[in-house]
Amino acid sequence: WTPVTQGEVMQLQRTFTFKNFRQALAFTNLVGELAESEGHHPEILTEWGKTTVTWWTHKINGLHRNDFICAAKTDALFEEQSG
Amino acid sequence: WTPVTQGEVMQLQRTFTFKNFRQALAFTNLVGELAESEGHHPEILTEWGKTTVTWWTHKINGLHRNDFICAAKTDALFEEQSG
């Protein structure tokens, strides 16, 4: 995960790579389920062969402990899907 | 659709708004199915309550007639989902 700054907002971002579009979209859906279950929603950019996930907390315009937890859970989903 | 430029690449971009994250993600999946059936893949940014779709043709680093067709088909999917 790389800390990125959009405007003045610090965010956590990671790009996950896949063999094709379908697998990237499948991962987007896994992250979407995580987001719904956490009640915390990242930005998810889906492209051919890659998905970029960006976590931050809108309410504080920056990073909260929960964002790091969600980033770790996102990694775990990637491990599962990549198997 | 707004023409946007990333680097020197001209692209077509439109943001579709929804009531929540789930509907935005559902639309992302519809656009994903379109992409697979067309063999042409956009960037799709999924956020809470909105999905931003960006079409362009990598091979020519710009816009091809097919991008405009895919943009129109994306609009039709939005009408279906909203309708």
Side-chain angles (χ1 to χ4, degrees), chain B residues 19-81:
Chain B
K19 271 186 290 191
N20 52 39
F21 182 81
R22 189 168 295 282
Q23 289 187 9
L25 184 57
F27 187 65
T28 293
N29 280 287
L30 286 179
V31 177
E33 284 170 32
L34 170 66
E36 289 288 272
S37 73
E38 295 285 331
H40 187 46
H41 299 85
E43 279 186 5
I44 314 173
L45 181 64
T46 311
E47 299 170 85
W48 194 95
K50 59 184 175 179
T51 298
T52 300
V53 182
T54 309
W55 290 102
W56 81 99
T57 300
H58 295 67
K59 203 180 291 181
I60 60 170
N61 264 330
L63 292 172
H64 181 272
R65 180 168 173 276
N66 192 38
D67 295 302
F68 293 87
I69 293 171
C70 286
K73 289 184 177 177
T74 305
D75 286 344
L77 291 175
F78 181 66
E79 295 304 319
E80 271 177 45
Q81 184 174 329

Side-chain angles (χ1 to χ4, degrees), chain A residues 23 29 38 43 48 69 80 83:
Chain A
Q23 289 187 9
N29 279 288
E38 294 286 331
E43 279 186 6
W48 194 95
I69 293 170
E80 270 177 47

